[in-house]
Amino acid sequence: MDDNKLYNALLKSQDEQRRLLDRDRGEAKPEDNFRKERPYAGSDRKRPNWTRVETNQGEHAPTVYDSSVSLALIGNPNPWSREQLRERKIIYSGMPDKEVMDAYRELRIQLRNRAGEGNFTVMFTSLGNSPGSLLTAFNLAVSFGLDSHSSALLVDCDPYNKDLQGLVSTPMESGVTDFVGDRSLTIKSIIYPSGVDRVSVIPAGTQASSAVELFSAVRMRELITELKARYPDRCIVLNAPPFRENTEARILERFADQIVFGVPFGEVTGEIIADSVDALGSDKFSGLIFQE
């Protein structure tokens, strides 16, 4: 047998052995001759539970929570201009009276340090009858809104003062007392944009004559609990009627984590301040704001 015949016989023998082997294992597929890639780590995990959200700022996939991005989406359809803020004596970043701005910044820092992590509720109530108390409470809320990593909600619980509409750029209707007295109202229906970024407001409502009973109701407690649970970066400011003149303030203190007294210039003595702090009888007292 010459070399060519020997070579062809060897090839035929190898082909025959391969066919027999394939018959025993089953028919081989062409792709079996290629190495299969190992799946990448985590490929068998469940898909993430978030969905893509369309916003006016493009698409944002929720990776690491960024409070400044989320809070920037809070609606403010009628923002006040700097001139309008100045006319209403509302604080704003870059205002000419730096001492006033710094005073509110310091107050914000002290309250936040005392509160620790998470959101909290601070009640502001005046020890006098100064008409500027609501403005002080509003500016306290604005001081938190000026921080891009937090927001504020002013809940006006003084149904005897109607000055809030002059500080807010959006017409308001129903408020706290209406919500508590009417279970058909939703929380969304009583929250309004203020005209200041990251600051929302809830007016006191129209039912002033029954405010004491309404503030004592279970639905009032449910309202405050829900407001605190909605946003982890929100500071809630409760504006209460004057502490020494009304029962409402003593009822509302139960909903506050901290309490700040307003001291109108020339109206309150040191003895009145000391007596009021003693009457409060609570470790919630956080300090005083002296009002001009």
Side-chain angles (χ1 to χ4, degrees):
M1 182 179 293
D2 57 26
D3 292 341
N4 288 334
K5 290 182 178 181
L6 178 61
Y7 177 73
N8 291 333
L10 289 174
L11 289 178
K12 183 177 180 181
S13 176
Q14 290 176 354
D15 290 340
E16 185 67 24
Q17 290 178 4
R18 188 179 296 109
R19 283 194 295 271
L20 292 174
L21 182 61
D22 290 342
R23 186 185 65 185
D24 294 337
R25 295 186 306 180
E27 185 176 358
K29 299 179 180 180
E31 57 266 28
D32 290 340
N33 294 326
F34 294 91
R35 180 175 62 87
K36 292 183 177 180
E37 293 292 337
R38 181 180 179 182
Y40 64 88
S43 63
D44 57 341
R45 296 178 183 175
K46 294 181 179 179
R47 295 177 62 84
N49 61 359
W50 52 265
T51 57
R52 189 177 299 277
V53 177
E54 297 289 342
T55 70
N56 57 3
Q57 295 185 5
E59 297 180 353
H60 297 278
T63 53
V64 178
Y65 176 69
D66 187 340
S67 58
S68 63
V69 173
S70 298
L71 295 174
L73 301 178
I74 296 177
N76 185 23
N78 300 306
W80 290 128
S81 66
R82 288 197 169 192
E83 291 74 19
Q84 291 171 322
L85 292 171
R86 189 181 303 114
E87 290 173 1
R88 291 162 177 80
K89 299 182 179 179
I90 299 173
I91 62 173
Y92 59 92
S93 181
M95 61 185 293
D97 195 339
K98 187 174 182 298
E99 291 185 2
V100 172
M101 186 71 253
D102 288 344
Y104 276 102
R105 285 173 177 152
E106 180 63 24
L107 182 60
R108 179 186 68 198
I109 293 171
Q110 295 295 334
L111 291 173
R112 183 170 286 161
N113 288 344
R114 182 179 173 86
E117 296 295 329
N119 57 9
F120 62 98
T121 302
V122 55
M123 185 181 86
F124 176 80
T125 177
S126 179
L127 296 182
N129 292 306
S130 173
S133 294
L134 178 59
L135 176 61
T136 302
F138 189 88
N139 277 332
L140 179 58
V142 172
S143 70
F144 284 93
L146 289 175
D147 183 350
S148 63
H149 292 277
S150 67
S151 66
L153 173 64
L154 173 69
V155 183
D156 187 12
C157 297
D158 186 356
Y160 313 108
N161 189 328
K162 304 299 183 182
D163 293 340
L164 182 60
Q165 184 60 78
L167 301 174
V168 176
S169 64
T170 302
M172 300 179 294
E173 297 179 359
S174 300
V176 176
T177 55
D178 305 299
F179 174 86
V180 177
D182 184 357
R183 287 195 168 271
S184 67
L185 292 177
T186 63
I187 293 180
K188 183 178 180 180
S189 68
I190 63 171
I191 298 180
Y192 302 87
S194 67
V196 179
D197 288 342
R198 295 180 294 277
V199 179
S200 303
V201 299
I202 297 180
T206 61
Q207 303 184 39
S209 60
S210 55
V212 174
E213 290 74 21
L214 292 172
F215 291 157
S216 303
V218 174
R219 186 162 163 84
M220 180 66 183
R221 183 174 69 247
E222 294 172 349
L223 171 63
I224 301 300
T225 300
E226 174 66 19
L227 292 175
K228 289 186 66 175
R230 282 195 172 200
Y231 300 99
D233 309 351
R234 167 181 282 174
C235 171
I236 299 175
V237 178
L238 297 180
N239 177 56
F243 183 78
R244 298 169 55 240
E245 305 295 334
N246 298 272
T247 306
E248 290 88 338
R250 302 304 304 272
I251 296 173
L252 291 167
E253 69 179 67
R254 72 184 68 176
F255 304 121
D257 300 307
Q258 302 186 56
I259 297 173
V260 175
F261 284 146
V263 181
F265 180 77
E267 290 187 28
V268 179
T269 64
E271 183 179 0
I272 291 177
I273 295 174
D275 290 344
S276 299
V277 173
D278 290 340
L280 184 62
S282 171
D283 58 359
K284 295 180 180 181
F285 175 69
S286 297
L288 305 169
I289 298 179
F290 291 92
Q291 305 165 274
E292 293 185 358

